[in-house]
Amino acid sequence: MNKILLEKSIDERQKLDERFERLEINLIKRIKENSESQKIETLVHALLEPFLDLGHHIFMDNFYNSVRLSQKLLKRKTHTTGTLRRNRKKS
């Protein structure tokens, strides 16, 4: 029985590794396609994708947070809390 569980665990780990590899490739493509001002927003969206629309609440510092990003996440039922930079472009 332990052998079956171990094999199942290995299979699940391989599937998870493949999923993260596809996510990484997709993320790199999306970041390269975006302008500089959208790269952070694209990164945050890609990392949060599995957790969106579930009613989660995330906390961000001012490097990642922006008004526009918070509004987009709110549309996906994800609340945010964090500081904002006063001089941030397109926040």
Side-chain angles (χ1 to χ4, degrees):
M1 179 154 175
N2 287 338
K3 184 178 179 182
I4 294 170
L5 291 175
L6 181 60
E7 288 174 0
K8 185 177 180 181
S9 177
I10 290 172
D11 286 344
E12 289 176 2
R13 175 63 187 196
Q14 289 172 338
K15 288 177 185 177
L16 189 60
D17 286 345
E18 290 170 5
R19 182 177 175 201
F20 278 117
E21 186 175 322
R22 285 192 308 270
L23 176 65
E24 182 179 21
I25 291 168
N26 187 23
L27 177 60
I28 290 169
K29 287 179 183 177
R30 286 169 50 186
I31 287 177
K32 285 182 179 179
E33 292 171 359
N34 287 330
S35 66
E36 191 66 34
S37 64
Q38 293 177 325
K39 287 183 180 183
I40 293 173
E41 195 172 302
T42 300
L43 173 66
V44 172
H45 265 277
L47 293 173
L48 291 176
E49 186 61 39
F51 308 103
L52 296 176
D53 300 314
L54 299 174
H56 289 293
H57 193 124
I58 61 167
F59 295 83
M60 297 184 282
D61 68 7
N62 62 17
F63 182 77
Y64 299 99
N65 203 4
S66 70
V67 172
R68 187 172 73 187
L69 175 60
S70 293
Q71 289 171 338
K72 287 182 177 184
L73 291 174
L74 186 58
K75 289 179 183 177
R76 299 286 309 268
K77 299 180 185 174
T78 304
H79 296 268
T80 62
T81 298
T83 56
L84 294 170
R85 291 183 186 185
R86 176 179 279 190
N87 61 347
R88 185 181 194 116
K89 295 179 181 176
K90 296 191 179 193
S91 68

